[in-house]
């Protein structure tokens, strides 16, 4: 993608899965990275892998549900690398797999704190910095659950609809000031969030929902994230890009 070299990106959920894959893809483009997650051990693995690319890399063990901590991590990114050009707001929780009537309310609140408020906590300081520096590009991780519903993940579904809503709202407010905000909507991706959570019968039902005939690897989602972050997506704003093996056809 060329033009990304020398830029700085902030990635949440960088301790594994899609976030780690985005970190690798951006590092290959010459981008310096602030890697954010709750999982310190996973962050350290990503940091060691990324350091081999020779660009700047820093980690912050931060809970995105804590607004002040996220603001401090964004400030630290700018203090350390001198700028913030891009963000992949990707950290999220799946939560319980249970019917709506029995959904535990404390777990629903946690999901709201992380998947929705956590995203807002990231967007606010990121956009403030980008307004000061003249622009930037942000990609949020939504899901096919941002437009479709399947049984037993009702709260996750509601929260991913909200991620698409926040993405559109941010794009409506800030596109004219040089900040592009988009989201990706992955289908089923093989990561810690999904591996081993479903029995063989459920897995084959889930595979059958993807016309492409398999689940995604995290790197296939990262490709779309990097494109949306890059100047090559210069006319994309407020979009929800499906990378779902045809699941939403
Ligand atoms: N795996 C899939 O099938 C799939 C499909 C669609 C969307 N997604 C979304 O992709 C994103 C990444 O998930 P993944 O599949 O890579 O799974 P993952 O579990 O590997 O990654 C999620 C990361 O978020 C981190 N995290 C959770 N709560 C946090 C908090 N409060 N503060 C900071 N970090 C926190 C976790 O520690 C973890 O490293 C999530 O938003 C998820 O909802 C995943």
């Amino acid at each position: 993608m060329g033009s990304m070299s020398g830029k700085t990106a902030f990635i949440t959920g960088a301790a594994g899965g899609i976030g780690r894959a985005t970190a690798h893809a951006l590092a290959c483009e010459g981008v310096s990275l602030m890697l954010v997650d709750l999982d310190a051990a996973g962050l350290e693995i990503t940091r060691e892998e990324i350091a081999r690319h020779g660009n700047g890399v820093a980690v912050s063990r931060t809970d995105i549900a804590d607004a002040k901590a996220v603001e401090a991590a964004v400030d630290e990114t700018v203090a350390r690398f001198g700028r913030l050009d891009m963000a992949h707001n990707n950290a999220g929780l799946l939560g319980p797999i249970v019917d709506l009537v029995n959904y535990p309310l404390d777990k629903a609140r946690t999901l709201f704190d992380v998947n929705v408020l956590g995203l807002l906590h990231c967007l606010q300081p990121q956009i403030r910095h980008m307004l000061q520096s003249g622009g930037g590009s942000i990609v949020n991780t939504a899901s096919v659950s941002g437009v479709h519903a399947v049984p037993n993940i009702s709260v996750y579904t509601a929260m991913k609809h909200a991620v698409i809503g926040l993405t559109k709202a941010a794009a409506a407010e800030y596109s004219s000031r040089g900040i592009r905000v988009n989201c990706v909507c992955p289908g089923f991706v093989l990561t810690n969030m999904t591996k081993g959570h479903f029995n063989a019968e459920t897995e084959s039902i889930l595979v059958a929902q993807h016309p492409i005939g398999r689940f995604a690897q995290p790197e296939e989602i990262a490709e779309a994230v990097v494109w949306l972050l890059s100047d090559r997506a210069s006319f994309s704003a407020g979009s929800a890009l499906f990378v779902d093996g045809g699941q939403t056809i």
Side-chain angles (χ1 to χ4, degrees):
M1 309 257 168
S3 62
M4 291 181 138
S5 184
K7 292 189 172 178
T8 296
F10 183 98
I11 306 175
T12 70
I18 295 168
R20 180 179 286 165
T22 300
H24 276 283
L26 286 175
C28 287
E29 300 295 334
V31 176
S32 295
L33 300 174
M34 172 60 87
L35 308 171
V36 177
D37 206 291
L38 262 181
D39 171 4
L43 270 182
E44 194 48 35
I45 293 169
T46 310
R47 193 193 64 73
E48 279 175 19
E49 292 174 1
I50 295 302
R52 290 184 212 131
H53 292 276
N55 313 311
V57 57
V59 299
S60 175
R61 187 190 174 278
T62 300
D63 182 352
I64 63 163
D66 179 342
K68 288 212 180 313
V70 178
E71 188 176 11
V74 173
D75 287 348
E76 189 189 333
T77 310
V78 176
R80 180 151 183 160
F81 299 113
R83 52 195 293 148
L84 176 67
D85 305 288
M86 296 174 272
H88 181 201
N89 297 318
N90 164 75
L93 295 172
L94 177 60
I97 299 173
V98 59
D99 58 309
L100 185 147
V101 165
N102 291 306
Y103 204 101
L105 292 180
D106 59 332
K107 296 281 192 305
R109 287 191 190 96
T110 303
L111 233 61
F112 181 71
D113 285 346
V114 175
N115 290 9
V116 181
L117 278 183
L119 172 57
L120 186 61
H121 295 158
C122 292
L123 288 171
Q124 288 183 332
Q126 290 164 356
I127 290 174
R128 273 188 211 115
H129 276 289
M130 288 175 180
L131 286 172
Q132 277 173 12
S133 64
S137 178
I138 298 174
V139 175
N140 304 319
T141 302
S143 168
V144 296
S145 297
V147 293
H148 275 196
V150 294
N152 298 331
I153 53 168
S154 54
V155 177
Y156 181 79
T157 302
M159 301 307 145
K160 289 301 184 183
H161 276 65
V163 170
I164 295 180
L166 268 177
T167 300
K168 289 180 179 175
E173 291 185 35
Y174 299 106
S175 296
S176 64
R177 287 188 264 174
I179 302 170
R180 292 186 305 101
V181 187
N182 293 282
C183 65
V184 282
C185 298
F188 197 104
V189 190
L190 290 166
T191 66
N192 285 342
M193 186 173 282
T194 50
K195 278 184 201 162
H197 288 284
F198 304 95
N199 61 31
E201 190 192 359
T202 308
E203 265 200 33
S204 63
I205 293 168
L206 287 167
V207 169
Q209 290 172 1
H210 297 68
I212 217 162
R214 62 176 176 82
F215 298 141
Q217 294 296 334
E219 292 75 17
E220 295 177 287
I221 312 304
E223 282 294 326
V225 174
V226 173
W227 178 75
L228 277 173
L229 286 173
S230 78
D231 292 342
R232 291 192 180 183
S234 52
F235 204 59
S236 294
S239 68
L241 178 59
F242 290 88
V243 189
D244 66 353
Q247 194 181 3
T248 46
I249 289 169

